[in-house]
Amino acid sequence: MKKTNFLLSLIPYPLSLNKGQMAIMLVLTSLLFILIMIPVIETYVKNEAKWSVAERKKTTAFHLAEAGIDRAMWQLREDSANYDRILLGQALTGYNNDKNYT
C-alpha cells in the first residue's frame, strides 16, 4: 500500500484549480484598485495645477516687492535730499502717483 498524506487527502480538488481562482481574484482586485485610483489621481492633478499657478503668483508678487524695496533704497542713497524729504513726510517726485509710466 502506498502511504498518503492525511492532509492532502482532505483537499477535495486538485491544487491546480485553486491557482485559476486566485488569478481571477487578483485580476479583479487589480481592476477595482485602478478604478478607484483614477478619480483620485485626476483630482490630485487638478489641485496641483491650481497650486502651481498660486505659487507662481506669490513668487511674482514677492519679487516685485523686493524690487520696490531695492528701488527705494537706491533712491535714498542717490541723493541725501531725498532722504531729508522722506523724513519730513514729503513724497518723491514721480513716486506720488503724479507720473504715468508705460
Side-chain angles (χ1 to χ4, degrees), residues 50-65:
K50 291 177 189 175
W51 296 332
S52 296
V53 170
E55 189 65 30
R56 188 186 70 208
K57 288 180 179 180
K58 289 177 190 176
T59 302
T60 301
F62 176 77
H63 288 174
L64 288 173

Side-chain angles (χ1 to χ4, degrees), residues 1-9:
M1 256 199 187
K2 279 186 172 180
K3 283 187 174 181
T4 58
N5 191 343
F6 178 71
L7 291 175
L8 288 177
S9 66

Side-chain angles (χ1 to χ4, degrees), residues 6-96:
F6 178 71
L7 291 175
L8 288 177
S9 66
L10 292 177
I11 299 174
Y13 300 106
L15 292 175
S16 63
L17 289 178
N18 290 338
K19 289 181 184 177
Q21 291 173 353
M22 188 67 164
I24 291 172
M25 289 304 294
L26 184 65
V27 168
L28 290 176
T29 306
S30 299
L31 286 174
L32 182 63
F33 178 75
I34 290 171
L35 287 174
I36 291 172
M37 288 307 294
I38 287 175
V40 171
I41 292 171
E42 182 183 3
T43 303
Y44 178 76
V45 169
K46 286 180 183 177
N47 287 338
E48 183 67 28
K50 291 177 189 175
W51 296 332
S52 296
V53 170
E55 189 65 30
R56 188 186 70 208
K57 288 180 179 180
K58 289 177 190 176
T59 302
T60 301
F62 176 77
H63 288 174
L64 288 173
E66 197 173 47
I69 291 171
D70 287 341
R71 179 75 175 164
M73 293 295 290
W74 179 77
Q75 284 290 330
L76 291 175
R77 290 181 184 154
E78 180 184 33
D79 188 9
S80 61
N82 289 341
Y83 188 76
D84 294 335
R85 277 189 235 137
I86 294 294
L87 287 178
L88 294 173
Q90 299 172 352
L92 297 178
T93 305
Y95 291 94
N96 194 24

